[in-house]
Amino acid sequence: MMLDASDAQIAPRPKSPPKGLLAGKALRPKKSRDARIAVIGLGYVGLPLAVRLSERFEGVIGFDISLTRVAQIGGGRDVTGEVTGDRLKASELLATGNVARLAEADVYILTVPTPVTEANQPDLEPLRSACRMVAPHLKPGDIVVFESTVYPGVTEDFCGPILAEGSGLDIGRDVHLGYSPERINPGDRVNTVETIRKNVAASDEATLKRLANIYGKVIDAGVHLCPSIRVAEAAKVLENTQRDVNIALMNELALICQRMGIATRDVIEAAATKWNFVPFTPGLVGGHCIGVDPYYLAAAAERVGHHPEVILSGRRLNDSMPGKVAAELVRRLILRDGKMRDMRIGVLGIAFKENVPDIRNSKVIELVQELRGFGLDPIVHDPLCDAKDAKAAGLELRPMADLTDLDMAVLGAPHRAYLDDPAFLSILRPDGILADIRGALAKAPRPAGLDYWAL
């Protein structure tokens, strides 16, 4: 890993390996000089891609506006946990916060976030800023590729004009556009950037061919060529919208089963014996993809005069689940003791999903706020999340030693650190309540007196 000399600190460039064979291992494959690539945004999406590209192409630049992030990466540390320290240190990626270095590239891959506003409308400001930053460095023949999730038309109708204005070049004649949506699954060590087939689209056939060649060198699973950028944009928002709607269906099933006094997991397990049943499960849907992308598709639908009923109803249901779960937990506490005063409640795992430190748009955090609204004061723990990030979200992370003699333990994000700990359930009183929202411990042995609940 290398750092630009203009950044915070400098890490020495790794020594070149000796020629021939070393300890029975072959040399790395010869790197391509077909493109000089810059990846803008070194988060969950950008860093794994940039590292992978640097293993196949010479001179790959990884840019991020956060010098703290750049210094961490240059020191071989990825706080997201997506790239191991050893792989970072072995990489020849140039990590930089120096925008002037972007002028060295001829292919720009933008991986900036695309969130929604408080009104659940697409927030394209990060994309606008990234385009304005890249535009002055463009030159004839360059390609700008977007991996961020957007609705159909954003790449060509929103980003294109910004790039044209900032560069003074003609988009389509001088500079060409591409779109290849990310498919990163945070925390997944099996389905990684190189093992997931990549959709690739471009503004013209020559650019499509060049991008297919670039991505083809780093994506072992291969690439799928889309007929247009708009098709690729629509496919991306469809992927996560489909998951969102299916999870909403399972959440509604869970609410129905709860009233009927039957276990949702037993119903799903029975239904899954049919060959064409798709076994989605209920849960809290947060994060920066599934809980966000459907709003982009909904916005696109409304722009062409269609009101999306299924998409938005699924979003409403999933967004309402923290409140519904909190109400059920309070109901169970009252049924057990007839009161809630001085109850010791622990909430374990506040990330938006298991085995990641990311708390962006976490519905577990919303659940904690809902419980506070009932007068409870949950003790919050997460072995992966950053204490500063949690504090910014209004939560104080407490040590595991503080979670003892609990009346109720709420397992939010079922991190492996909890599931693999044989003493995990000892944090509860013998007659305590285990609220296992995702049902991660549904098949695990439990003490006889424990009250177990899951969606």
Side-chain angles (χ1 to χ4, degrees), residues 57 68-69 81 93 148 168 171 182 262 264 289 318 320 340 356 370-371 387 422 433:
F57 289 87
T68 299
R69 175 71 170 153
L93 172 71
S148 307
I171 304 301
E182 57 88 7
I262 55 179
T264 311
C289 291
N318 284 340
S320 74
M340 291 190 302
V356 301
E370 292 282 352
L371 291 172
I433 302 171

Side-chain angles (χ1 to χ4, degrees), residues 246-260:
N246 277 284
I247 295 171
L249 173 61
M250 294 299 103
N251 277 335
E252 189 155 52
L253 172 69
L255 297 175
I256 295 168
C257 288
Q258 181 177 293
R259 289 174 177 262
M260 293 180 172

